[in-house]
Amino acid sequence: MRKLLRSLCFALPVMGLMEPASAWAQTKVLFEAMHAQTAGNADWVLDEDSCGTAQRYPTPAQSGITATTPETYWGGAYSSFGVALVKKGFSVESLPGGGRITYGDTSNAQDLKNYKVLILPEPNIRYTTAERTAIQAFVKNGGGVFLISDHGNSDRNNDGWDSPEILNELMTGVSWGLHFQVDGETDAWFNDNPDSKYTTDTTSPIVHAGAYGKATVGKGLGLFGSTSITLNPTANPNAKGHVWMTTGTVGSNSRVTFATSTDGTGRIAAIGDSSPSEDDTNGCGHTTHNGWNESLYDNALIHLNAVAWLGGAGGGGGTSDTTPPTAPSGLSASAVSSSQVNLSWTASTDNVGVASYNVYRSTDNASFSSVASVSGTSHSDTGRTASTTYYYRVTADDAANNESAVSNTASATTPAATSAARVILNEILVNEPGSDVTKEFVELVNVGGTSIDIGGWSIWDSTAKRHTFATGTVLGAGKAIVVYGATSGIPAGTPNAVGASTGALGLANSGDTVTVKNAGSTNVDSFVVSSTLAGTDGVSANRSPDASATGSFVLHTSVSTVGSSPGTRANGSAF
């Protein structure tokens, strides 16, 4: 079967800058603001009601914006960008700190499936593997992403990573054909104003045939501290340059300053500098450049043309694919507790590539409902009722939303919820990412069938007691709790996490012993983390099978595509 594609039909005659707002009605643009976009002097947000925090909906409400509304309507250095989009009829939101980047997660109100365009303004914190996977799936399935980098060595939060490196890492595993030059590479830091070497391709939706008009000869972009982009047409023949450095050659694969590409049915735009898209509406001690309103350059026009193209205007989109994947096979189901059924199946194949799998559940083996969309070939269905038989089927989706035929049906019956509580060590991260010891963690899971009070219980390493659980701490059946080296090390959105009561876990990268003791100082569980399991930066030791009292510890990358999964199951689903 083929799913109905959720797309918008755009009437796009030749338009000037006063395009009727109705042309983009209901087209939602999401500005990502949870990766240190306000670190240092940065202020790449639409609006901040409190310093360092961009709320989901900028205030005042965008419904009050008219043709004469000034950029100061909102308080971030991306206010001009956002206000201009609203004037064109787009709807804008921020993804604030504490938010989640997901694709196909119906529990997330800001899941990327709810948007058409995602703008990534100069991120200063790396995207997790799960976040990268979600963004890549968003593009493959028809979304548009705008990569806004800055010059090499622009690490505004001093964590060792700058935006060119972070955006290059975001493109790991996909063939977008784009590379931002990083510190130490040619043309990773330069000024160029005006930057106006335009493509000779008159169909360019960025500079010649854009929804909002044609860029003016000689104006171009005002680049003040930029990196350049290198194209790889071998990896992706749709990777195209639209503007080149003054010292570059039009049509070449290097010294590109504005580029586009496609993947599946989605689109990518990229620029090497944040100066053209920012304004000087800012506070909180930030200092920004008024690039958006510089009349000397076509900064605003080029960016608006790019968003319109990312949203579906003009040609040059992804490929047309009407062939569905093969049906998943070998589906099996196993009730691992009174509230959880684990599923696994054999991967499908597709002429382009499988993007995700849909899990369907039934209690009568007749009427099935969709309960999850996952990228891998396994799923943990939690929150089930004890003593109940559940039936499952799985289908595969490709990037064009073609859905396969259904798999075989598998069933499992959950046991009665009478088993005693049993707390185990399930995941241990000894070798924290970035040498930040506050991010070391120990995850406990109650694999039993009843809740248990773990107040007064403690966690030890090989030398000392490192944490004591607060009085009244209850760990529910099938639930997890995570103890980090310090509260400051807990990533935003990590469920049921606490900082070590002593201020450190003290785990040694050369190997260590982690022990859980109850309030009577009796050992509940203990594990010796070998140097083999502790030797990879950012990769934890995890039970295999996950959350199994009899499972052995292995590298997390052996059970998942990510390096760790604190507070969630190895496949990213909730406990």
Side-chain angles (χ1 to χ4, degrees):
M1 47 188 166
R2 176 171 169 80
K3 287 186 175 179
L4 177 65
L5 292 178
R6 294 183 294 275
S7 60
L8 297 175
C9 295
F10 301 104
L12 289 172
V14 177
M15 302 177 190
L17 291 178
M18 294 304 293
E19 177 192 0
S22 60
W24 296 104
Q26 308 306 314
T27 302
K28 297 171 69 175
V29 179
L30 182 65
F31 284 76
E32 194 270 294
M34 58 179 287
H35 284 74
Q37 273 85 2
T38 58
N41 281 334
D43 193 14
W44 321 136
V45 297
L46 298 173
D47 186 45
E48 302 173 82
D49 282 354
S50 61
C51 289
T53 304
Q55 65 280 7
R56 175 178 178 180
Y57 296 108
T59 56
Q62 57 195 286
S63 58
I65 292 177
T66 68
T68 59
T69 299
E71 69 175 74
T72 51
Y73 188 76
W74 292 331
Y78 267 41
S79 61
S80 287
F81 198 164
V83 168
L85 287 173
V86 174
K87 288 180 180 180
K88 303 300 180 188
F90 293 90
S91 173
V92 300
E93 293 181 24
S94 293
L95 181 61
R100 292 187 292 141
I101 297 177
T102 62
Y103 186 80
D105 184 345
T106 56
S107 69
N108 181 8
Q110 289 194 281
D111 184 82
L112 295 183
K113 274 194 173 182
N114 299 322
Y115 303 88
K116 185 60 180 175
V117 178
L118 172 64
I119 297 179
L120 306 180
E122 196 184 331
N124 284 281
I125 296 176
R126 298 165 66 187
Y127 295 99
T128 66
T129 301
E131 289 172 338
R132 297 198 303 267
T133 299
I135 293 170
Q136 292 170 7
F138 168 72
V139 174
K140 275 187 173 293
N141 285 279
V145 65
F146 200 159
L147 309 178
I148 300 177
S149 181
D150 205 44
H151 58 77
N153 197 24
S154 55
D155 179 10
R156 301 182 187 277
N157 61 341
N158 299 313
D159 67 348
W161 286 75
D162 56 26
S163 55
E165 295 170 320
I166 292 169
L167 292 174
N168 284 342
E169 184 181 49
L170 170 65
M171 294 184 277
T172 301
V174 291
S175 299
W176 291 356
L178 307 174
H179 171 79
F180 291 100
Q181 298 293 99
V182 300
D183 191 35
E185 296 179 341
T186 305
D187 303 316
W189 190 340
F190 63 90
N191 294 324
D192 196 8
N193 41 85
D195 180 74
S196 58
K197 278 196 170 179
Y198 294 145
T199 177
T200 57
D201 180 2
T202 58
T203 67
S204 164
I206 307 302
V207 296
H208 294 305
Y212 299 110
K214 182 177 181 179
T216 302
V217 174
K219 290 186 73 171
L221 296 165
L223 303 182
F224 295 85
S226 177
T227 189
S228 65
I229 302 165
T230 300
L231 308 180
N232 184 350
T234 301
N236 189 325
N238 291 324
K240 298 178 180 179
H242 297 266
V243 188
W244 280 261
M245 293 173 59
T246 299
T247 55
T249 301
V250 172
S252 68
N253 294 328
S254 63
R255 295 187 170 178
V256 179
T257 55
F258 201 107
T260 62
S261 188
T262 66
D263 187 14
T265 56
R267 301 175 175 185
I268 307 103
I271 186 173
D273 188 11
S274 58
S275 297
S277 53
E278 66 183 276
D279 60 51
D280 58 4
T281 305
N282 55 61
C284 305
H286 300 147
T287 302
T288 54
H289 175 74
N290 195 18
W292 187 272
N293 300 294
E294 279 274 16
S295 60
L296 294 174
Y297 314 115
D298 268 334
N299 295 339
L301 172 67
I302 287 173
H303 282 72
L304 290 172
N305 279 346
V307 174
W309 178 74
L310 291 170
T319 58
S320 176
D321 176 16
T322 60
T323 303
T326 61
S329 60
L331 175 64
S332 64
S334 174
V336 296
S337 74
S338 60
S339 61
Q340 178 182 331
V341 178
N342 286 353
L343 306 173
S344 64
W345 57 90
T346 301
S348 299
T349 59
D350 184 68
N351 62 318
V352 176
V354 175
S356 60
Y357 294 91
N358 307 297
V359 178
Y360 296 87
R361 184 180 64 224
S362 171
T363 54
D364 61 6
N365 201 21
S367 177
F368 286 79
S369 299
S370 176
V371 294
S373 176
V374 299
S375 58
T377 56
S378 63
H379 175 65
S380 295
D381 190 25
T382 58
R384 298 305 92 224
T385 302
S387 304
T388 304
T389 300
Y390 292 96
Y391 302 86
Y392 297 90
R393 294 172 180 171
V394 177
T395 63
D397 275 348
D398 63 16
N401 278 345
N402 299 304
E403 187 174 19
S404 74
V406 297
S407 68
N408 59 294
T409 300
S411 65
T413 302
T414 53
T418 56
S419 59
R422 182 175 181 182
V423 177
I424 65 168
L425 289 164
N426 188 59
E427 184 177 1
I428 303 168
L429 178 62
V430 172
N431 194 345
E432 70 287 346
S435 299
D436 182 355
V437 295
T438 67
K439 295 186 182 298
E440 295 178 347
F441 69 79
V442 174
E443 179 189 80
L444 305 183
V445 175
N446 179 4
V447 297
T450 57
S451 298
I452 186 170
D453 186 343
I454 61 171
W457 288 32
S458 55
I459 293 178
W460 299 64
D461 72 348
S462 59
T463 60
K465 181 194 295 186
R466 299 298 185 174
H467 176 71
T468 301
F469 289 97
T471 300
T473 302
V474 175
L475 188 57
K479 299 300 182 180
I481 189 168
V482 187
V483 179
Y484 275 85
T487 302
S488 61
I490 302 175
T494 303
N496 205 21
V498 296
S501 57
T502 64
L505 286 176
L507 303 179
N509 290 0
S510 59
D512 211 336
T513 300
V514 179
T515 303
V516 183
K517 298 184 179 183
N518 64 19
S521 296
T522 300
N523 285 5
V524 174
D525 198 6
S526 183
F527 180 68
V528 178
V529 187
S530 67
S531 58
T532 301
L533 293 177
T536 305
D537 192 2
V539 178
S540 66
N542 199 94
R543 293 269 190 177
S544 179
D546 188 36
S548 168
T550 59
S552 58
F553 277 89
V554 299
L555 287 174
H556 195 283
T557 48
S558 299
V559 296
S560 172
T561 58
V562 297
S564 64
S565 57
T568 67
R569 299 192 174 277
N571 63 10
S573 62
F575 276 108

